[in-house]
Amino acid sequence: MTISSTALMFIVVVATGVATLTPILLLALFIRDWKKGCLW
Amino acid sequence: MNGLDAPILPTPVAWGLLIAFSILWVALGWWLGRHNRSAEDHMLAGRNVGMALATATAMATWVTANTTMTAPQLALQLGVWGMLGYSLGALGLILFAPLARRIRELMPRGFTSGDFIRLRYGTFTWRVFLVVSLIYAFGWLVSMAMAGGVLINALAGIDYRVGMTVILTVCVVYTLLGGLRAVIGTDFIQTVIIIAGAAFIAWLTIDRVGFEAIHFNLMEERPELLNLLFPAAIMFLFNNLLFGVGEIFHSNVWWSRAFAFGRNVGFRAYLLGGLLWLPIPIVAGFIALATPALGINVPAADMVGPLVAAEVLGLTGAIVVFIVVFAALASSLDSLLAATSDLVTRDIYRGHIRPQASEQNQFRATKVIVVLLGLLTWLAASYRGELPIIGSLAELLYFTGAFVASAIWPIVAGLYWRRANPRGAAWSMILGSGIGLASYFLIGFYVAALVGAAVSLAVMVLSTWLAPRPFDWDRLARDDVQPKGSPA
């Protein structure tokens, strides 16, 4: 049973998309914590 | 040179990057740790780390050189299941989320995982746990130091021992200067660098090679890598799941963060960190599947990631990979140095050698121990390939699988099961590790954690069923605050 090209593309594109958004989310969380004075 | 004909990155560029990032990490470490005055400041960063830094440090620590270099290696060896199986390591972070909340509730003033095992199960089990935990911690440290040397050697032609020494020294210095606060602060920047870099390489590989070409060439040359019923790969998937859970559940790296994160932060940070970590091994591993399409000859499996990046992106790819792996190495090495030195300070130095050690004694001891750990790691990593068990990165990593997986059930039972048998907990770790190791040598690296966890579960359940020992949970918080406790 072999994975199709489409299925492989779907998995990799979704994973890469999430990874692309992650740094943005972390920076947003950092700014929120910093403004609330609860970084540490 | 690992079979590579020429360095991918010009040596002066590599030295420039090494020096620039080394200065950055050391300066940040000093700046972040400049107000540390006690062992608690140094070890637990003030016990009030917020959501952003907590999530990033959970992710950064779990994205190791083993993720960025072994994920492509496993994709090359085990195909689609190799990278998917590696991504299941995220379940360790996700499942640890409720445990982090429970740990913080039960032991609001706790320091280490050893503290918990000592108070919950007594001296014998505590000592067994320390052996298991320290073997794992040391194996992980050595594997990351090795990865640093291998990377620098392959990418820039810098001697393996020189590169490994530089990376290890930098991590020791900034961990020494700033403790956990330095580790968590640098982890945030390192997480952003690692994930952005990995995503950048993946998008460009997709753009330059394309899925059709990758799929077609794999079908022609390595069809087994696309097989969803690849038996060894499916076994690896479950093995890796248990390995990841075992690593996180028992290791002081994660426990010290549970103690350090602010109240109500631990659960959310581990959960979010796990969900965001899930795609990273797929992003890092997928590029290895492009090797047949690119016609790359891979001389050493653990170098496939950097080779593909350099082939697709040239100098830019080599630079990005170099920075990503340096950040990944540093983010895990520093965490492990800090957490292991805490464990040795609290559980060996204070627990066994000097029970009356003051807070200041422990503060000084933890710094000395960071340096000694660095030296020991350097010695072991210097003999890469010359010791019988230290072969490739993946082999070394999975060698420790039997140990860590055998600690899963004693930890879970200890936190949630009032009647868990303390002797049973010790024997579940001993027998799980022993039989798991035997399976590593007799069957293969991909079953060690699976067998270790199964044996450990059977012993834990059986011993508690036959001889239950009720426990008073309040004892954990009560004894935990005693400043000069001795072994139970």
Side-chain angles (χ1 to χ4, degrees):
Chain A
M1 190 179 158
T2 302
I3 189 169
S4 69
S5 172
T6 311
L8 180 66
M9 180 175 73
F10 177 78
I11 292 168
V12 173
V13 168
V14 169
T16 312
V18 173
T20 306
L21 295 175
T22 298
I24 299 165
L25 176 67
L26 287 175
L27 289 168
L29 277 174
F30 185 91
I31 293 166
R32 188 203 65 169
D33 283 357
W34 180 53
K35 281 185 175 171
K36 287 165 68 179
C38 59
L39 268 180
W40 296 99
Chain B
M1 288 296 298
N2 300 299
L4 301 176
D5 296 332
I8 300 163
L9 194 64
T11 305
V13 176
W15 273 115
L17 291 170
L18 262 183
I19 292 167
F21 279 94
S22 298
I23 292 171
L24 176 66
W25 303 143
V26 171
L28 270 173
W30 165 80
W31 186 74
L32 290 163
R34 68 196 187 285
H35 297 309
N36 287 348
R37 293 287 176 271
S38 67
E40 195 168 52
D41 283 343
H42 193 80
M43 290 170 158
L44 298 174
R47 292 188 191 269
N48 198 29
V49 178
M51 184 66 186
L53 293 171
T55 306
T57 192
M59 290 183 70
T61 305
W62 206 218
V63 178
T64 65
N66 299 322
T67 315
T68 51
M69 291 179 75
T70 308
Q73 177 184 347
L74 289 169
L76 189 71
Q77 292 171 334
L78 300 173
V80 173
W81 280 131
M83 61 184 197
L84 292 179
Y86 207 121
S87 78
L88 284 186
L91 282 181
L93 286 176
I94 294 167
L95 294 175
F96 192 68
L99 269 66
R101 180 160 59 192
R102 176 95 173 140
I103 289 164
R104 181 76 198 231
E105 283 168 4
L106 289 175
M107 300 181 70
R109 308 302 303 168
F111 273 84
T112 66
S113 52
D115 283 344
F116 169 76
I117 296 289
R118 173 174 56 82
L119 294 168
R120 178 67 181 86
Y121 288 135
T123 309
F124 177 63
T125 311
W126 177 45
R127 287 177 178 152
V128 172
F129 174 80
L130 286 178
V131 171
V132 167
S133 198
L134 291 173
I135 287 177
Y136 161 76
F138 193 61
W140 193 11
L141 268 172
V142 174
S143 81
M144 283 186 295
M146 282 165 51
V150 168
L151 167 88
I152 292 175
N153 175 250
L155 282 182
I158 295 171
D159 180 70
Y160 165 79
R161 280 195 176 91
V162 174
M164 184 268 292
T165 305
V166 170
I167 285 187
L168 197 53
T169 306
V170 169
C171 291
V172 167
V173 170
Y174 79 77
T175 305
L176 190 68
L177 292 171
L180 190 61
R181 208 178 283 270
V183 169
I184 289 176
T186 51
D187 274 358
F188 185 86
I189 302 168
Q190 288 157 352
T191 308
V192 172
I193 290 174
I194 294 163
I195 300 172
F200 173 71
I201 292 170
W203 283 126
L204 285 179
T205 305
I206 293 168
D207 183 55
R208 301 272 167 91
V209 187
F211 285 103
E212 290 299 330
I214 290 173
H215 195 269
F216 177 79
N217 282 280
L218 281 172
M219 285 298 287
E220 291 288 307
E221 294 178 34
R222 303 282 307 274
E224 74 277 11
L225 299 184
L226 295 172
N227 185 359
L228 294 176
L229 300 175
F230 193 174
I234 293 172
M235 194 77 88
F236 163 77
L237 187 139
F238 287 105
N239 187 73
N240 203 55
L241 195 155
L242 289 167
F243 185 24
V245 171
E247 276 185 288
I248 292 182
F249 278 24
H250 93 283
S251 172
N252 194 50
V253 167
W254 311 100
W255 280 70
S256 65
R257 281 162 173 72
F259 294 127
F261 293 169
R263 188 174 286 277
N264 302 322
V265 168
F267 177 83
R268 289 181 295 133
Y270 276 111
L271 184 62
L272 182 62
L275 291 172
L276 296 176
W277 191 92
L278 194 69
I280 296 172
I282 298 172
V283 174
F286 141 78
I287 61 171
L289 298 179
T291 49
L294 291 165
I296 296 173
N297 176 35
V298 182
D302 52 6
M303 281 311 300
V304 64
L307 276 173
V308 173
E311 177 71 24
V312 173
L313 304 170
L315 180 62
T316 311
I319 290 173
V320 173
V321 167
F322 191 89
I323 294 171
V324 165
V325 182
F326 189 19
L329 280 163
S331 68
S332 303
L333 262 173
D334 60 6
S335 297
L336 201 53
L337 281 166
T340 310
S341 71
D342 294 353
L343 194 68
V344 174
T345 303
R346 292 280 297 182
D347 296 89
I348 304 289
Y349 172 71
R350 177 180 174 271
H352 286 86
I353 299 168
R354 203 172 165 190
Q356 304 305 316
S358 68
E359 177 103 345
Q360 282 307 309
N361 289 146
Q362 291 177 62
F363 188 29
R364 281 192 293 273
T366 192
K367 294 189 168 199
V368 173
I369 290 162
V370 165
V371 176
L372 291 177
L373 271 176
L375 279 173
L376 273 176
T377 304
W378 181 84
L379 274 176
S382 294
Y383 292 95
R384 172 180 179 256
E386 294 165 38
L387 297 176
I389 61 162
I390 301 180
S392 78
L393 293 175
E395 285 167 4
L396 175 61
L397 185 66
Y398 288 103
F399 180 79
T400 61
F403 293 94
V404 301
S406 72
I408 295 173
W409 305 111
I411 293 284
V412 174
L415 282 168
Y416 292 101
W417 208 355
R418 188 181 291 277
R419 293 166 184 271
N421 183 301
R423 288 270 159 180
W427 283 106
S428 74
M429 286 188 273
I430 295 168
L431 293 175
S433 300
I435 298 173
L437 272 187
S439 70
Y440 174 94
F441 289 110
L442 295 173
I443 303 171
F445 77 92
Y446 45 84
V447 294
L450 205 60
V451 172
V455 171
S456 163
L457 175 63
V459 175
M460 197 70 230
V461 169
L462 209 61
S463 62
T464 301
W465 180 49
L466 293 174
R469 295 282 183 276
F471 182 76
D472 173 16
W473 296 118
D474 293 339
R475 223 194 113 196
L476 289 171
R478 206 168 50 233
D479 293 359
D480 174 34
V481 294
Q482 290 177 1
K484 291 173 185 171
S486 55

